[in-house]
Amino acid sequence: MKFAFIIDPIERLNPVHDSTVALMEAAQEFGHEVWITEVNQLSTIESKAWATLKRAHLMPVERVENHWVASNPWYDLGKAMLQPLESMDAVFMRKDPPVTIPYLYATYILDYINPEKTLVINSPQGLRAANEKMYALQFKKVIPETIVSQEKEVIRNFLESQGAAVLKPLGGKAGEGILFLDPSDRNFNSLIEISTKQGQEPVMIQSYLPAAKEGDKRIIMLNGKSIGAVNRIPTGKEFRGNMAVGGRVAQTEITERESEICEYLAPKLIADGLYFVGIDVIGGYLTEVNVTSPTGIREIDLLDNVNLGKQVIEWIINKNQFKNNKVPVRSKLSAISY
């Protein structure tokens, strides 16, 4: 099989942390071809999606005691080739947020891949529908008290009713721009003005969950099923648990409540073509649904001695075999429904 990955420039990826690299390694370990491209290398020709692709060969990371070690260099690239994306068996859209206008244009190009020929993960329609903050609002039974607004007075009233809250930019990633709001903070007006760009852009405000001190759990979901989780715990004076801002990772288990949340989300995720997703849960409440390039694979693999990348690739292999009326390959890696 041939796998294409739409990524940020490969030299910017961190092989010991990046889930995209873990997925590419897994495809390669199964003996499949790995190709890479970027959003600015996509085209439509004769109403079909094309890309300038390079064949990638990776030197997989190795586990040394309690951390991953990468070779230097850790990848080798072939010659660039313009190819139809339908010549691939699967295309991973793994460009990191924010979801900019060029990102949206890229999803429009991906619409011109025939889904009967090539699986796109995640669906371009689903990516457009699922802002990683706003998408969670439809799951009212499992989210904390939440509003979205750019109006200072609306935000002030909500904050005072909750006692404390967390502000999140709608297009942020890795904890960027997230603020803790206290009703007594004399900087409140300035914080809202800066975050909303003087009232021009809405932000999400969620009730502060004290359980955040115990960790912000990232749960990886594949085809509506939870396959692994990692807890991200704030360190020092930081209230955010995101790994990008220094959150400490710890082994964890998926609770009964969290399994119920996953089951609650699953039908909608699958209907929207959101097959590979990372959800964030704090104290039994869903806070975000990450669909663009969810991370956490490397950390879960290290802590739990598993290989989630192989589970994802195996699911795609079997999905392709079902499509072609072949007997699916089973391994002891996973038991994912197809």
Side-chain angles (χ1 to χ4, degrees):
M1 293 177 64
K2 298 173 71 175
F3 290 79
F5 293 82
I6 303 169
I7 60 175
D8 290 294
I10 192 169
E11 63 272 14
R12 297 184 194 171
L13 303 187
N14 181 353
V16 302
H17 170 69
D18 202 291
S19 290
T20 301
V21 181
L23 292 167
M24 293 193 293
E25 284 182 6
Q28 179 177 281
E29 288 180 39
F30 271 115
H32 303 302
E33 295 182 17
V34 174
W35 295 79
I36 64 169
T37 189
E38 299 174 28
V39 293
N40 60 355
Q41 296 171 333
L42 305 180
S43 305
T44 52
I45 302 172
E46 296 182 348
S47 297
K48 295 291 183 183
W50 289 62
T52 299
L53 294 145
K54 293 180 180 178
R55 178 80 182 271
H57 176 74
L58 311 179
M59 280 60 83
V61 298
E62 295 183 356
R63 180 175 185 146
V64 177
E65 296 180 349
N66 63 344
H67 61 280
W68 297 116
V69 175
S71 302
N72 186 17
W74 58 272
Y75 65 88
D76 181 62
L77 300 179
K79 183 180 178 181
M81 299 173 61
L82 181 64
Q83 302 180 63
L85 284 172
E86 286 179 9
S87 68
M88 301 286 144
D89 295 283
V91 173
F92 281 87
M93 178 53 159
R94 293 286 301 178
K95 170 76 175 71
D96 278 346
V99 175
T100 59
I101 294 299
Y103 184 103
L104 289 174
Y105 290 161
T107 69
Y108 294 138
I109 293 174
L110 296 179
D111 280 335
Y112 290 91
I113 297 175
N114 184 347
E116 295 299 315
K117 294 182 177 180
T118 302
L119 177 66
V120 181
I121 305 168
N122 284 313
S123 157
Q125 297 94 331
L127 290 173
R128 291 194 294 270
N131 173 275
E132 296 186 329
K133 307 298 189 295
M134 294 288 293
Y135 192 75
L137 292 175
Q138 63 195 293
F139 305 111
K140 288 179 60 177
K141 295 180 181 179
V142 296
I143 63 171
E145 291 292 326
T146 304
I147 65 168
V148 175
S149 180
Q150 61 263 348
E151 293 199 47
K152 195 182 296 179
E153 196 60 31
V154 171
I155 297 171
R156 163 67 76 180
N157 290 339
F158 178 81
L159 175 59
E160 291 182 348
S161 73
Q162 299 300 312
V166 174
L167 179 152
K168 298 179 179 181
L170 296 182
K173 64 177 177 67
E176 294 172 356
I178 294 180
L179 301 173
F180 177 83
L181 299 181
D182 184 323
S184 63
D185 190 343
R186 296 173 66 184
N187 292 307
F188 172 81
N189 287 338
S190 292
L191 292 174
I192 302 306
E193 289 161 6
I194 293 168
S195 298
T196 64
K197 296 181 172 58
Q198 302 296 324
Q200 298 305 303
E201 289 186 11
V203 291
M204 173 177 278
I205 315 292
Q206 289 184 327
S207 176
Y208 174 68
L209 299 170
K213 297 175 183 176
E214 301 165 10
D216 179 353
K217 192 175 292 188
R218 164 60 54 85
I219 300 174
I220 300 295
M221 296 181 64
L222 174 63
N223 195 36
K225 305 287 186 181
S226 58
I227 61 172
V230 62
N231 199 22
R232 302 165 298 176
I233 303 170
T235 57
K237 296 182 179 180
E238 178 62 71
F239 80 95
R240 298 170 296 176
N242 306 75
M243 290 179 282
V245 295
R248 176 174 63 85
V249 297
Q251 189 175 31
T252 189
E253 294 182 354
I254 298 172
T255 67
E256 182 177 348
R257 163 69 172 177
E258 290 158 355
S259 294
E260 291 172 355
I261 291 174
C262 292
E263 291 174 6
Y264 181 47
L265 270 59
K268 179 61 174 172
L269 294 176
I270 294 172
D272 287 343
L274 300 172
Y275 300 113
F276 184 70
V277 170
I279 67 169
D280 295 340
V281 179
I282 298 175
Y285 288 95
L286 173 73
T287 60
E288 292 184 22
V289 181
N290 297 271
V291 302
T292 51
S293 59
T295 191
I297 284 183
R298 288 295 201 206
E299 290 72 24
I300 297 169
D301 285 355
L302 191 66
L303 292 166
D304 292 348
N305 196 27
V306 294
N307 192 318
L308 297 191
K310 284 190 174 181
Q311 291 190 36
V312 175
I313 299 302
E314 184 186 40
W315 176 75
I316 295 172
I317 293 168
N318 281 289
K319 192 173 181 68
N320 185 67
Q321 289 172 329
F322 267 96
K323 181 178 68 177
N324 294 315
N325 297 315
K326 296 177 181 178
V327 177
V329 174
R330 297 288 184 182
S331 85
K332 57 186 179 183
L333 281 172
S334 59
I336 303 298
S337 59
Y338 300 102

